[in-house]
Amino acid sequence: MKTIEEINQKIDSQDATIITALEMTDLVDEIGTKQAAKEVDIVTTGTFGAMCSSGAILNFGHTDPPIKMNKTILNGVEAYSGLAAVDAYIGAGQINNDPYIKENYGGAHVIEDLINKKEIKLKTESYTTDCYPLKKMKTTITIDDLNQAIMLNPRNCYQNYAAATNSRNETIKTYMGTLLPNHGNITYSSAGALSPLLNDPYFETIGPGTNIFLCGAQGQIISEGTQHVTETERYKDVPISNAGTIMVTGNMKEMQPEYIKAAAMPDYGSTLYVAIGIPIPILNEDMARYTSIKEEDIKCNIVDYGIPKLNRPTIKQTNYKELRSGKIELNGEEIPTSPMSSYKKSIEIAEELKNRIEKQTFTINTPTRRLKHKGCIQKPLKMKQTKKIKDILPTTPTKTVTLNENIKTIAEKLIKNNINHVPVTTKDKKILGIITSWDITKALTNNTTNPEKIMTKKVITAYEDEPIDTVARRLSKHNISAIPIINKTKQIKGLITVEDISRTYSNKK
């Protein structure tokens, strides 16, 4: 057994052994856990990934005459001004509302620009009071003009995170990047064996007050992050699902531009890549074992983001060695994998933290308490029961055709049933395509008889248990007037038109 005080004394006398989590894995393989616990004092970790739940509290200072900021805009991005007269909180995920600023600029970019000491356009307006008579104000600021610029991130550093894929026939844009149709790719976001909270899975040395490397500055953990979960399945002590998170803070004026990066996810919004490194004191043999975790022993789930539900189905369980190999076997096919975080930067962070501790420019401290390591679950928000597509599916069977039928027969079926869309299916009702009355008109004009030549093969579909609002958005997004409804085995269950959805909304009103 060691104490943090004893380790700090060794650091002061330059007698401490400090290594990265990757080096610890190799060392334990060589000399074993017991001996490594004796020889190693601190293991450093690091991660550099997209952390949307990040932001900053900014104090602008008072104007003369004073203004009580009610609406605050920074480079076209609104910050929340309900704190005090000249304080505001800007979230990394906040979008901009300025038509003259490109769409992929959001709150994360404002934070990055501030740390890069760039000029920021500030506009603010308010209702007036006797003590705050100024109504509007415009100016230009840099971070040096602010009294305080404090990064305050409600949820960073997930212990583990699911990999993502997409079962739908269409490409979808998510915070896990662009996911190709029919499980065309898999994305993941974790530093694996370097990930800070995975190296102390029960939070024996991590808690409020713990000093951390945060975007190049020495920051602190405030508490458990939002959505902190402890009751989860584990493998070799390591959580398989999302699990623990931390709420962190640090002085933006001390941060370094190379350790922070704003990004824009296509058709999703802005996010902030945040550098976090946490030193793990090796107090006992358990800590030595935790910090020597291997990539192949860190399991995670591949989940289907094509299902727009809170609890998405797991397609397969994998590990980070397999994910980092660049491909995974799924349903008999090799699927490419790609990271949404930077492993190279994570290694750099762990190395930089190691150097700072050795040079005594980063201090190791005892937290005021451990992060909660049991009893935490994630509860969904209570809401009214949403109506599902299956609730409005027509009671009459949907008319379908097969590739064996000719264009004339299909045209007659459309006319007879007074419909404009007909799905093309296999004998067991799995969808192959869709034909519209407009397709038929073109086919007859061009003397085409083969339905395969005129049908749309990349069919936008929906599942029968999806909410109506979700499907309505999909119809609008793709500018289509009807959508086939399928079950989990991709067999057609019906067809919903824009008119069906409009009728449902009208009935609601």
Side-chain angles (χ1 to χ4, degrees):
M1 293 289 293
K2 302 175 200 169
T3 65
I4 291 177
E5 290 74 18
E6 289 169 346
I7 292 173
N8 274 327
Q9 288 172 7
K10 293 180 76 174
I11 293 171
D12 290 341
S13 62
Q14 297 186 326
D15 192 36
T17 300
I18 305 159
I19 63 176
T20 69
L22 294 185
E23 293 170 328
M24 186 64 164
T25 301
D26 293 336
L27 184 65
V28 167
D29 275 348
E30 182 183 339
I31 66 174
T33 306
K34 189 171 184 179
Q35 188 61 30
K38 291 179 181 179
E39 293 186 13
V40 179
D41 298 299
I42 295 171
V43 169
T44 60
T45 63
T47 189
F48 189 71
M51 304 188 193
C52 296
S53 188
S54 300
I57 291 178
L58 310 175
N59 180 273
F60 300 98
H62 287 284
T63 57
D64 188 12
I67 188 171
K68 187 179 188 298
M69 292 180 172
N70 183 48
K71 187 173 184 179
T72 304
I73 309 293
L74 298 160
N75 279 358
V77 181
E78 185 168 3
Y80 175 69
S81 298
L83 301 172
V86 289
D87 288 324
Y89 182 85
I90 185 163
Q94 181 67 295
I95 60 174
N96 78 74
N97 296 310
D98 191 329
Y100 299 104
I101 296 178
K102 53 190 176 183
E103 290 181 3
N104 59 357
Y105 187 97
H109 300 81
V110 174
I111 294 169
E112 181 188 30
D113 285 349
L114 283 168
I115 292 172
N116 277 282
K117 297 185 179 293
K118 291 184 178 181
E119 288 191 340
I120 305 291
K121 292 180 181 178
L122 167 64
K123 294 193 300 184
T124 186
E125 58 184 56
S126 179
Y127 59 92
T128 59
T129 68
D130 289 340
C131 49
Y132 293 107
L134 189 61
K135 185 173 180 61
K136 293 183 179 181
M137 189 273 300
K138 290 183 181 181
T139 189
T140 301
I141 60 165
T142 70
I143 195 169
D144 293 329
D145 297 315
L146 301 174
N147 290 314
Q148 286 82 29
I150 302 165
M151 183 171 282
L152 179 59
N153 301 347
R155 182 176 67 255
N156 281 178
C157 231
Y158 267 112
Q159 260 185 317
N160 205 345
Y161 209 80
T165 189
N166 168 31
S167 66
R168 292 220 301 258
N169 292 333
E170 59 179 308
T171 297
I172 61 174
K173 309 292 181 66
T174 74
Y175 56 79
M176 290 294 287
T178 298
L179 298 176
L180 302 176
N182 302 311
H183 304 301
N185 65 330
I186 296 169
T187 62
Y188 64 96
S189 183
S190 175
L194 275 167
S195 191
L197 299 190
L198 285 180
N199 281 274
D200 187 359
Y202 298 105
F203 315 120
E204 293 186 21
T205 68
I206 298 175
T210 295
N211 288 339
I212 64 171
F213 179 99
L214 180 60
C215 301
Q218 181 167 297
Q220 290 80 36
I221 295 174
I222 300 173
S223 71
E224 296 79 13
T226 55
Q227 297 179 188
H228 180 82
V229 173
T230 59
E231 305 309 302
T232 184
E233 183 185 358
R234 293 176 183 259
Y235 176 78
K236 292 191 176 181
D237 296 306
V238 174
I240 294 173
S241 57
N242 302 359
T245 67
I246 49 178
M247 186 178 294
V248 304
T249 189
N251 186 351
M252 285 169 56
K253 295 189 177 189
E254 297 174 355
M255 292 178 181
Q256 298 172 260
E258 61 265 37
Y259 292 114
I260 190 165
K261 184 64 182 174
M265 300 293 186
D267 292 342
Y268 170 74
S270 65
T271 187
L272 192 65
Y273 276 71
V274 176
I276 294 181
I278 300 180
I280 311 293
I282 306 304
L283 306 180
N284 50 49
E285 195 173 338
D286 279 344
M287 296 308 302
R289 176 165 53 84
Y290 297 151
T291 52
S292 64
I293 189 72
K294 295 181 178 180
E295 298 272 275
E296 55 264 39
D297 291 330
I298 305 173
K299 295 185 179 292
C300 79
N301 296 323
I302 302 173
V303 302
D304 185 1
Y305 275 61
I307 308 296
K309 297 178 69 175
L310 177 62
N311 297 313
R312 300 180 177 97
T314 295
I315 303 297
K316 183 177 181 177
Q317 196 169 88
T318 184
N319 62 66
Y320 281 97
K321 183 178 181 180
E322 189 175 28
L323 283 167
R324 231 178 284 287
S325 74
K327 57 187 177 183
I328 284 181
E329 186 277 324
L330 194 64
N331 299 328
E333 294 185 18
E334 282 193 349
I335 309 299
T337 66
S338 55
M340 300 301 296
S341 57
S342 173
Y343 190 60
K344 180 181 178 181
K345 200 72 177 178
S346 301
I347 294 172
E348 181 186 326
I349 293 162
E351 290 284 358
E352 177 63 17
L353 179 54
K354 171 184 170 179
N355 293 336
R356 291 189 187 189
I357 297 170
E358 288 174 341
K359 293 176 182 177
Q360 300 179 30
T361 58
F362 185 100
T363 55
I364 306 298
N365 63 334
T366 303
T368 57
R369 64 170 174 84
R370 289 170 64 179
L371 291 176
K372 292 177 181 177
H373 57 283
K374 56 185 178 181
C376 295
I377 59 172
Q378 184 179 335
K379 296 183 291 185
L381 178 66
K382 291 180 180 179
M383 59 184 293
K384 291 182 179 179
Q385 190 68 34
T386 56
K387 206 167 188 180
K388 304 290 180 65
I389 282 293
K390 62 186 177 184
D391 298 325
I392 64 167
L393 275 175
T395 54
T396 55
T398 297
K399 304 301 178 184
T400 62
V401 297
T402 67
L403 291 176
N404 295 326
E405 298 181 55
N406 60 45
I407 297 298
K408 184 179 179 183
T409 303
I410 296 171
E412 290 171 351
K413 190 172 289 188
L414 287 170
I415 295 168
K416 180 181 178 181
N417 293 283
N418 193 28
I419 55 178
N420 290 312
H421 312 79
V422 60
V424 183
T425 68
T426 61
K427 288 182 180 180
D428 59 352
K429 295 298 181 181
K430 289 189 177 179
I431 192 158
L432 296 173
I434 192 167
I435 293 174
T436 67
S437 53
W438 176 242
D439 295 326
I440 294 290
T441 301
K442 288 192 295 181
L444 294 174
T445 302
N446 298 325
N447 295 319
T448 304
T449 58
N450 186 351
E452 190 171 6
K453 290 184 178 180
I454 67 164
M455 73 179 185
T456 299
K457 295 179 182 178
K458 291 185 178 179
V459 185
I460 306 303
T461 60
Y463 289 100
E464 56 187 339
D465 60 349
E466 286 190 59
I468 294 173
D469 291 352
T470 304
V471 177
R473 177 187 179 276
R474 200 169 302 153
L475 286 163
S476 175
K477 175 185 174 183
H478 295 282
N479 193 27
I480 53 179
S481 55
I483 189 167
I485 309 303
I486 58 176
N487 61 17
K488 291 180 180 178
T489 59
K490 298 196 174 183
Q491 292 174 307
I492 192 159
K493 301 297 291 183
L495 186 133
I496 292 291
T497 66
V498 170
E499 289 79 10
D500 294 326
I501 297 219
S502 298
R503 198 160 41 247
T504 302
Y505 284 138
S506 298
N507 292 338
K508 279 184 181 180
K509 292 175 183 178

